[in-house]
DNA sequence: TTGTGTTTTATTGCCTCC
DNA sequence: GGAGGCAATAAAACACAA
């Protein structure tokens, strides 16, 4: 590998001396793209001449940074080339050259590989390995970037989700409050006299419910339904009234289900009664987590279909 | 100087494509 | 089947604190 630099030892010594000239940090990277100045170079647009880089640096070629730290005599060079193949890092200039080439095209066609190897005095295999490792590093960096993007996206979504959750809790509390109000008024309404109840025309829902109820139940249904009609509108006007004595102290509604006096109903009758009458008036009790699924649609919750 | 963690160069084995 | 790419890994080189 090391022998690929070629040249006699004395020439190499000169080269090694010149390597001590540091690569100017402020060197314009544009100088890396002067590939037209390399007559031997007719490859792809991404190819460059390493000589151009070094001339811009004011230094000649140098390939082995391993010599940078030594007082290199010929003996050292001999020793260097006679020792078994050791891993040697590329010089700063070589790496810069490869980096610029990589920026232009991160894949390596055979002719470009050959040309780069020639220009840098490296084995084509080394060029291939360098590009391979460079692609791996690039991929890792890219993954880190992608991760950061996803992370921030997740964070903002989580904030939105948490806010929605809070909003949902608030709305649930409101709904429960309204429900309680409603039921309380229904209960109060059921105590109205039959006379009052019968003096009013039963609303549609009551009639429909009555169709499926026994005759004995009709009066009850009518009574409830009539009250219902009135109560809803008034309940809506004073939706939030947590001071109501019927509102559970812990803020959770104590009862969601209308409880008519069913003492004179058989179990079957009770069932029928519930089925025919309750659905429009009963609000399902909201359990924790009922609305915690952000993907659940409104239609998933029968609750949202207000009876009126 | 030395121990340790990181970076870079290189190898190996597997896979895909022509 | 050979060439080339990639992932995993080894190992040398390097940086740096103690």
């Amino acid at each position: 590998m090391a022998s690929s630099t070629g040249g006699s030892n004395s020439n190499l010594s000169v080269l090694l001396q010149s390597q001590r000239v540091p690569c100017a940090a402020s060197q314009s990277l544009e100088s890396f793209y002067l590939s037209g100045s390399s007559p031997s170079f007719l490859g792809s647009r991404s190819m460059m001449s390493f000589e151009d880089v070094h001339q811009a640096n004011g230094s000649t070629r140098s390939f082995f940074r391993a010599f940078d730290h030594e007082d290199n005599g010929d003996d050292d060079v001999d020793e260097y080339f006679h020792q078994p193949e050791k891993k040697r890092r590329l010089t700063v200039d070589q790496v810069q050259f490869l980096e610029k080439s990589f920026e232009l095209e991160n894949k390596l066609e055979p002719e470009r590989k050959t040309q780069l190897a020639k220009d840098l005095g490296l084995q084509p295999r080394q060029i291939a390995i360098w590009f391979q490792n460079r692609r791996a590093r690039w991929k890792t960096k890219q993954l880190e970037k992608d991760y950061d993007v996803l992370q921030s996206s997740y964070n903002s979504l989580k904030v939105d989700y948490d806010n929605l959750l809070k909003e949902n809790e608030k709305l649930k509390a409101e709904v429960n409050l309204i429900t309680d109000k409603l039921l309380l008024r229904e209960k109060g309404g059921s105590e109205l006299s039959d006379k009052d109840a019968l003096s009013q025309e039963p609303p549609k829902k009551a009639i429909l419910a009555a169709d499926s109820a026994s005759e004995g139940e009709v009066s009850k249904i009518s009574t409830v339904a009539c009250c219902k009609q009135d109560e809803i509108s008034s309940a809506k006007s004073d939706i939030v009234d947590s001071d109501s004595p019927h509102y559970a102290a812990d803020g959770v509604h104590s009862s969601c289900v209308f409880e008519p006096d069913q003492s004179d109903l058989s179990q079957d009758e009770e069932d029928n009664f519930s089925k025919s009458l309750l659905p429009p008036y009963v609000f399902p009790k909201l359990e924790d987590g009922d609305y915690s699924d952000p993907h659940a649609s409104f239609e998933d919750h029968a609750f949202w279909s207000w009876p009126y």
Side-chain angles (χ1 to χ4, degrees):
Chain A
M1 233 186 297
S3 59
S4 65
T5 53
S8 67
N9 284 350
S10 56
N11 285 340
L12 187 57
S13 294
V14 174
L15 286 175
L16 295 174
Q17 290 293 330
S18 68
Q19 170 149 358
R20 294 181 185 279
V21 177
C23 175
S26 60
Q27 174 201 349
S28 168
L29 292 178
E30 278 75 17
S31 64
F32 282 15
Y33 296 94
L34 302 172
S35 58
S37 64
S38 177
S40 66
F41 191 54
L42 298 170
S44 71
R45 62 176 179 80
S46 59
M47 294 183 182
M48 301 169 276
S49 165
F50 185 64
E51 281 182 21
D52 294 328
V53 176
H54 259 275
Q55 280 158 10
N57 286 345
S59 64
T60 55
R61 280 191 182 187
S62 60
F63 302 116
F64 302 111
R65 200 164 55 186
F67 289 108
D68 285 354
H69 314 294
E70 299 170 11
D71 186 15
N72 300 292
D74 287 355
D75 291 343
D76 292 333
V77 174
D78 280 340
E79 187 184 346
Y80 181 86
F81 284 118
H82 285 121
Q83 65 184 290
E85 287 292 306
K86 277 185 93 178
K87 214 174 274 187
R88 278 180 296 283
R89 293 206 168 184
L90 306 181
T91 65
V92 172
D93 291 334
Q94 283 173 319
V95 170
Q96 280 185 342
F97 192 79
L98 287 167
E99 284 287 353
K100 296 317 291 183
S101 185
F102 181 84
E103 276 178 29
L104 292 169
E105 176 64 60
N106 73 346
K107 286 286 171 90
L108 196 59
E109 317 84 63
E111 71 171 330
R112 190 155 74 109
K113 179 170 68 180
T114 307
Q115 189 59 50
L116 281 171
K118 211 168 165 184
D119 287 346
L120 294 173
L122 297 169
Q123 295 291 328
R125 168 128 185 96
Q126 281 180 291
I127 305 294
I129 288 167
W130 188 90
F131 266 75
Q132 209 159 294
N133 287 324
R134 187 65 184 78
R135 280 195 294 271
R137 287 198 294 273
W138 179 85
K139 194 178 175 184
T140 304
K141 281 251 161 41
Q142 204 60 33
L143 280 171
E144 284 171 4
K145 277 184 190 170
D146 290 348
Y147 176 82
D148 288 344
V149 168
L150 283 172
Q151 179 81 24
S152 62
S153 174
Y154 168 80
N155 287 341
S156 73
L157 278 172
K158 187 159 190 333
V159 167
D160 288 349
Y161 174 70
D162 289 343
N163 288 338
L164 283 171
L165 222 53
K166 281 177 195 164
E167 180 71 14
N168 187 36
E169 288 300 317
K170 216 172 110 184
L171 289 171
K172 269 160 68 177
E174 269 183 41
V175 164
N176 290 337
L177 200 60
I178 295 169
T179 305
D180 279 353
K181 271 273 185 212
L182 213 50
L183 294 174
L184 277 171
R185 286 170 187 271
E186 281 172 358
K187 204 161 188 175
S190 69
E191 290 163 5
L192 289 174
S193 67
D194 284 351
K195 182 186 170 187
D196 287 340
L198 291 173
S199 68
Q200 299 175 23
E201 189 180 336
K204 258 185 182 173
K205 294 235 175 204
I207 293 171
L208 289 172
D211 285 343
S212 61
S214 66
E215 278 185 27
E217 296 163 358
V218 170
S219 65
K220 286 181 182 179
I221 293 169
S222 298
T223 301
V224 168
C226 289
C227 295
K228 179 72 188 162
Q229 191 82 359
D230 291 334
E231 304 309 323
I232 294 264
S233 57
S234 64
K236 280 180 181 172
S237 65
D238 51 358
I239 282 172
V240 179
D241 185 8
S242 56
D243 291 332
S244 166
H246 302 289
Y247 192 80
D250 60 0
V252 177
H253 62 295
S254 54
S255 168
C256 290
V257 181
F258 172 49
E259 297 169 354
D261 182 6
Q262 298 177 10
S263 57
D264 55 345
L265 297 177
S266 68
Q267 185 57 49
D268 284 345
E269 286 170 337
E270 282 180 25
D271 288 344
N272 284 337
F273 184 76
S274 297
K275 282 176 191 165
S276 61
L277 176 63
L278 291 180
Y281 307 138
V282 172
F283 297 83
K285 186 174 171 71
L286 300 176
E287 302 294 342
D288 282 349
D290 266 357
Y291 300 96
S292 60
D293 179 4
H295 303 297
S297 66
F298 276 10
E299 289 74 19
D300 291 335
H301 304 291
F303 161 78
W304 292 109
S305 34
W306 190 265
Y308 292 95

